[in-house]
Amino acid sequence: MSTVANRITIKRLHPHFVAEVIGIDCSAPMLREDFRTIWEAFNEHQILVFRDQHFNDESQIAFSSMFNQLETMIAHPGNDWNPGHISVMTNLGKDGEFLPLDHPAMVHRARNEEWHSDSSFKPIAALASLLSARIVPPLGGNTDFASARAAYEALPVERRAALDGLVALHRMTHRDMDNDQGYKEEDKKRHIVTHPVVRTNPVNGRNALYVGAHAQEIVGMPPEEGAKLLDELTEYCTQPQFVYRHAWRDGDAVMWDNRCTLHRATTFDRTKYKRKLHRTTIAGKAPDTAFAVIPGMHAG
Ligand code: OGA
Ligand code: MN
């Protein structure tokens, strides 16, 4: 039996995480071994960077679907009320012209500047997200990533033990959501879920802190106390030594593990430079530890 050896090279880009995958065209049919190499690299390195790709929505959906089913987005301001598998991170309207800064889509997307894990407010949270660059601004508009796995592993043993078993309550809405008009039509669909604060990757047993903007309370703690602890943990995870900043280039695609990393958008001149990235979100499988939907609890 013959296999194709070493078609793919994995090059680490940061001391703690992030690797560039070299030697693969993600839009082309893929060998099983190549997919396995990518899957293993994803579990190990948490963030994968693919350069010089040629994704369109169809090929991005096809590649992303190899990992698991995709999440389907309901219509909301972040995707210009176009439900489906593609979320669009842009400052442009459908006509390709700049959106006003107070447009609901812009207000909604500005929230991506808070550290978060995609879909952590869902009962089965996202496994991964894949963002592909379609229009890259010449200055700014980077995406920051933090390894919540490296952060967890750097904690003293006693601190890890103290966090073990804690459960956080995640809301879709951000804390200042009442000022956001964009979600009105979704109000009824808001839900609150719980996830463990320490998450384990079932493939390799590595633990990570599972925090970020949607994690807002700790079950069994007064709300302010839980919020304070979660804020501290997010701040801890996002210290410079755990952070990789991705400066987008044409043809870039970045795939991140939502189970063990946090990310945020960074600012740029939205009235001067055009930016457009398309995201697919790969659903999680079963919860890796117990979770519960708390019915009847609503934010705001
Ligand atoms: C996302 C996201 C950040 C960015 O696509 O989930 O948070 O830099 N994007 O656009
Ligand atoms: Mn995001």
Side-chain angles (χ1 to χ4, degrees):
M1 218 186 77
S2 67
T3 49
V4 183
N6 290 329
R7 290 187 61 237
I8 296 182
T9 310
I10 307 291
K11 179 181 158 201
R12 189 72 166 246
L13 300 181
H14 183 282
H16 290 303
F17 69 142
V18 191
E20 183 179 343
V21 182
I22 300 162
I24 191 82
D25 176 357
C26 298
S27 305
M30 195 172 292
L31 291 173
R32 222 184 155 77
E33 305 90 271
D34 288 344
F35 179 72
R36 199 170 57 221
T37 302
I38 292 172
W39 173 243
E40 284 168 5
F42 168 76
N43 280 289
E44 173 65 24
H45 302 289
Q46 311 155 61
I47 312 272
L48 299 181
V49 175
F50 303 89
R51 305 272 189 199
D52 305 315
Q53 298 298 317
H54 311 281
F55 277 123
N56 56 28
D57 288 351
E58 198 189 340
S59 60
Q60 183 170 347
I61 286 171
F63 174 68
S64 308
S65 300
M66 294 177 78
F67 296 85
N68 197 24
Q69 276 177 285
L70 302 187
E71 289 192 355
T72 304
M73 306 295 162
I74 52 172
H76 70 90
N79 54 25
D80 286 334
W81 292 279
N82 283 329
H85 293 315
I86 298 283
S87 298
V88 183
M89 306 296 141
T90 189
N91 58 330
L92 309 175
K94 286 203 183 87
D95 57 2
E97 291 309 316
F98 293 108
L99 287 172
L101 295 175
D102 61 356
H103 187 281
M106 295 294 280
V107 173
H108 176 85
R109 291 186 189 116
R111 290 175 197 286
N112 280 341
E113 290 180 23
E114 281 181 71
W115 287 102
H116 65 281
S117 171
D118 291 334
S119 298
S120 78
F121 49 83
K122 294 187 179 176
I124 296 182
L127 169 72
S129 301
L130 175 69
L131 205 50
S132 78
R134 307 299 173 92
I135 303 174
V136 172
L139 190 68
N142 302 317
T143 307
D144 285 343
F145 295 94
S147 176
R149 179 191 290 173
Y152 175 85
E153 290 176 352
L155 284 171
V157 177
E158 319 78 67
R159 191 75 210 278
R160 284 190 235 164
L163 295 171
D164 219 16
L166 291 184
V167 173
L169 204 135
H170 293 240
R171 288 192 181 89
M172 178 174 71
T173 51
H174 290 246
R175 289 180 200 168
D176 63 347
M177 207 60 208
D178 289 345
N179 303 323
D180 188 335
Q181 303 304 305
Y183 267 117
K184 280 282 186 277
E185 63 181 283
E186 282 183 47
D187 282 354
K188 294 187 205 86
K189 292 180 189 157
R190 288 182 193 179
H191 51 200
I192 297 177
V193 302
T194 60
H195 295 291
V197 170
V198 178
R199 268 190 94 166
T200 308
N201 175 320
V203 173
N204 56 23
R206 307 276 294 270
N207 285 338
L209 292 168
Y210 193 57
V211 290
H214 300 294
Q216 295 172 4
E217 292 179 35
I218 301 271
V219 173
M221 266 188 205
E224 313 74 50
E225 200 180 311
K228 189 162 165 275
L229 173 58
L230 289 163
D231 285 350
E232 269 168 30
L233 292 174
T234 297
E235 222 169 281
Y236 167 73
C237 289
T238 56
Q239 295 173 96
Q241 69 269 32
F242 303 128
V243 171
Y244 163 78
R245 169 161 286 195
H246 188 76
W248 292 94
R249 295 187 208 160
D250 283 340
D252 280 1
V254 177
M255 179 177 167
W256 63 88
D257 189 335
N258 280 301
R259 300 168 300 180
C260 61
T261 64
L262 294 168
H263 63 281
R264 67 169 179 192
T266 70
T267 194
F268 67 104
D269 189 339
R270 291 177 167 78
T271 61
K272 194 164 161 196
Y273 300 132
K274 298 187 173 187
R275 183 181 194 260
K276 194 167 177 225
L277 301 111
H278 283 198
R279 192 185 92 198
T280 38
T281 315
I282 300 154
K285 285 206 161 99
D288 40 38
T289 25
F291 74 93
V293 177
I294 304 177
M297 289 181 68
H298 297 281

